[in-house]
Amino acid sequence: MRNVEIKAKINDIQLLLLRVKELFGTTETLIKQHDTFYNVTKGRLKLRRLLDVGDGELIFYDRPDVEGPKLSSYKKADIKSNEVSVLNDVLIEALGAKNDVKKLRHLFLVGQTRVHIDEVENLGNFLELEVCLKPEQTLEDGEVIANDIMNKLGIKKEDLIQGAYADLLNA
């Protein structure tokens, strides 16, 4: 699976939430997440706990740490609630944990794009766009879609950041 992703720091979360709802007429889903990142030699590996439902997702992804639209490839496995803490213990024992990221995610679906407005504990507020690419689409196709949404939302190039929230917490 592949997507084109951008991440940007935002100053006025309420204004951005309003703008997304007005421009795209989409409904909002609130998701409380707790991600634990593990030590790996390639890409990133995290266990995402979906705190509202108790289930989780083990996610491996690889993408360049650059500002602006970037291609991300990923694999994901759903984890049932009774296995999440056991899997976390196993991964910590085997790989060691880097850090934890806790956030409240405002999710909006806009066409083939997942629009995330994240309130990240101890870090601030961010916009993340994930353009889910169809098999026949290229990186450039995804960049066009991401740039269009960025422009409509008033996100400027200087707002863009690189890396993952886990990296920013370590900085």
Side-chain angles (χ1 to χ4, degrees):
M1 296 169 56
R2 306 170 306 136
N3 65 30
V4 171
E5 183 176 309
I6 68 106
K7 195 173 295 199
K9 179 82 173 130
I10 57 172
N11 296 318
D12 190 337
I13 189 169
Q14 295 307 319
L15 178 63
L16 188 59
L17 286 166
L18 182 63
R19 192 174 287 158
V20 170
K21 291 173 188 175
E22 287 177 349
L23 282 171
F24 302 111
T26 182
T27 58
E28 171 184 13
T29 302
L30 284 175
I31 308 167
K32 291 181 183 174
Q33 298 177 339
H34 177 173
D35 295 346
T36 299
F37 286 78
Y38 305 96
N39 297 312
V40 292
T41 57
K42 174 187 171 209
R44 292 183 176 88
L45 181 67
K46 67 183 173 185
L47 178 63
R48 170 166 289 158
R49 295 170 195 84
L50 304 168
L51 300 179
D52 294 329
V53 294
D55 291 341
E57 301 169 323
L58 184 63
I59 304 167
F60 169 79
Y61 64 99
D62 197 14
R63 68 164 186 252
D65 287 330
V66 295
E67 294 174 357
K70 55 199 146 284
L71 184 64
S72 177
S73 60
Y74 63 97
K75 294 187 186 223
K76 181 168 66 167
D78 294 329
I79 311 298
K80 295 297 175 202
S81 60
N82 60 335
E83 297 294 324
V84 173
S85 68
V86 173
L87 180 58
N88 184 53
D89 292 344
V90 169
L91 290 168
I92 289 173
E93 185 71 26
L95 303 172
K98 281 186 178 179
N99 58 15
D100 289 288
V101 176
K102 297 177 183 178
K103 64 182 171 278
L104 177 62
R105 171 161 282 174
H106 304 259
L107 168 65
F108 301 89
L109 299 177
V110 177
Q112 69 191 81
T113 304
R114 296 173 55 89
V115 177
H116 304 148
I117 299 175
D118 294 333
E119 300 176 51
V120 183
E121 190 175 288
N122 299 318
L123 201 55
N125 301 320
F126 298 85
L127 168 73
E128 184 179 88
L129 301 178
E130 291 180 352
V131 181
C132 300
L133 295 176
K134 298 172 186 171
E136 70 277 6
Q137 287 182 303
T138 64
L139 168 62
E140 292 75 23
D141 295 331
E143 287 177 347
V144 168
I145 295 168
N147 285 325
D148 180 57
I149 293 174
M150 278 177 41
N151 291 335
K152 288 178 178 172
L153 294 177
I155 303 299
K156 297 174 177 40
K157 297 265 188 214
E158 57 265 20
D159 299 327
L160 299 178
I161 60 169
Q162 60 185 11
Y165 298 139
D167 301 328
L168 296 172
L169 284 168
N170 284 340

